[in-house]
Amino acid sequence: MSSELGWYASIFGIMLFTGLGLPPVPEEAGILYAASLTAVHPEVRWPFAWLACGLGIVCADLVLFGVGWKWGPKLFEYRWVQRVLKKERRLMLESRFHEHGMKLLILARFLPPLRTGIFLIAGATRYSFFKFLIADLVFAVFGVGLFFFFGTWIIAWVHRYESTALLIAALAVLAYGLYMYYKLLRRRERANIPLPPVSILQGPEGSVPEGQSATNPDAAPAAKAEAKAALEG
């Protein structure tokens, strides 16, 4: 019994810390760890392993939500937060959050680069805790279940043939798949974030029609007047 509890505690701990970004590895790696234990160790029962995964993820997300709620917008002034969540990305997410909050919370689960930032923003903007919890539980049941049972099936199939080489190959393929999945999401995310303006006379990159000037000379007098008023004030 004590060994079983130890396995469940290890699953919960791994999911909790990976959910917080410590270490910065995808949560799916922790889910596959739980799936491997279920497939290899008969004493580890899948309902409790699945539950440990879900609880670890939900607890990690609640911690991030609470940190954002307590410190609010000031949180994003810290350097360590800015390393996790760039200013341009944060502004883009904040502009869409109140309109598509539930969608972003659910989709962020499948976008590793956005997870931590989304949950911090949800707390800092005082997003509905009830909606946040509902979105988190939806993933804990369905998203975790998808990765968990697929991983259990793969590991059980390999374990049935008791081939060490096959097991290593399967783990290598899964690790490579997770790496490519993370890399693809990271590339797609960066491609969707517009670059900040070079100056107050220039709009975001890609917003100027081809053949037209990237600056707006007509805006210069107004900009100079605003700057003068700010300096005199």
Side-chain angles (χ1 to χ4, degrees):
M1 185 65 180
S2 60
S3 62
E4 296 178 26
L5 294 177
W7 288 125
Y8 300 139
S10 69
I11 294 172
F12 175 82
I14 288 176
M15 298 310 304
L16 175 65
F17 285 105
T18 55
L20 295 174
L22 303 170
V25 297
E27 292 176 347
E28 289 78 10
I31 299 175
L32 290 178
Y33 165 74
S36 301
L37 292 180
T38 304
V40 175
H41 296 276
E43 67 273 16
V44 179
R45 301 180 181 181
W46 69 264
F48 298 110
W50 185 15
L51 179 62
C53 280
L55 287 177
I57 287 177
V58 171
C59 289
D61 297 345
L62 291 178
V63 169
L64 294 173
F65 183 86
V67 169
W69 187 283
K70 180 175 177 60
W71 278 277
K74 293 183 179 180
L75 177 67
F76 304 109
E77 298 176 4
Y78 293 99
R79 291 184 179 180
W80 68 269
V81 178
Q82 294 176 0
R83 293 175 184 174
V84 175
L85 186 65
K86 300 298 182 182
K87 182 178 179 180
E88 294 80 12
R89 183 191 303 171
R90 175 174 62 84
L91 294 176
M92 179 193 69
L93 293 173
E94 287 180 351
S95 65
R96 303 177 182 179
F97 203 85
H98 287 286
E99 185 178 355
H100 305 286
M102 287 287 287
K103 296 178 183 178
L104 286 175
L105 286 171
I106 295 176
L107 291 176
R109 306 302 328 192
F110 300 95
L111 301 172
L114 289 180
R115 288 174 183 167
T116 303
I118 282 287
F119 303 140
L120 291 174
I121 290 175
T125 57
R126 299 298 194 271
Y127 187 74
S128 169
F129 176 76
F130 177 75
K131 292 182 179 180
F132 177 85
L133 187 60
I134 290 297
D136 225 32
L137 291 176
V138 167
F139 177 80
V141 174
F142 298 102
V144 172
L146 176 66
F147 283 101
F148 179 81
F149 290 110
F150 176 74
T152 301
W153 178 76
I154 291 292
I155 300 300
W157 179 77
V158 173
H159 184 64
R160 180 184 304 173
Y161 294 96
E162 298 182 352
S163 172
T164 304
L166 188 59
L167 176 62
I168 295 175
L171 292 176
V173 170
L174 288 174
Y176 179 75
L178 285 176
Y179 169 75
M180 294 303 296
Y181 170 70
Y182 181 87
K183 188 176 180 181
L184 173 63
L185 294 177
R186 185 76 172 177
R187 184 167 60 248
R188 290 180 60 183
E189 177 199 355
R190 288 177 175 176
N192 291 330
I193 299 178
L195 295 176
V198 176
S199 71
I200 60 176
L201 303 180
Q202 181 178 349
E205 186 180 37
S207 63
V208 181
E210 185 177 356
Q212 297 187 18
S213 173
T215 59
N216 184 8
D218 295 333
K224 291 175 63 178
E226 291 181 6
K228 183 178 180 181
L231 291 175
E232 292 178 351

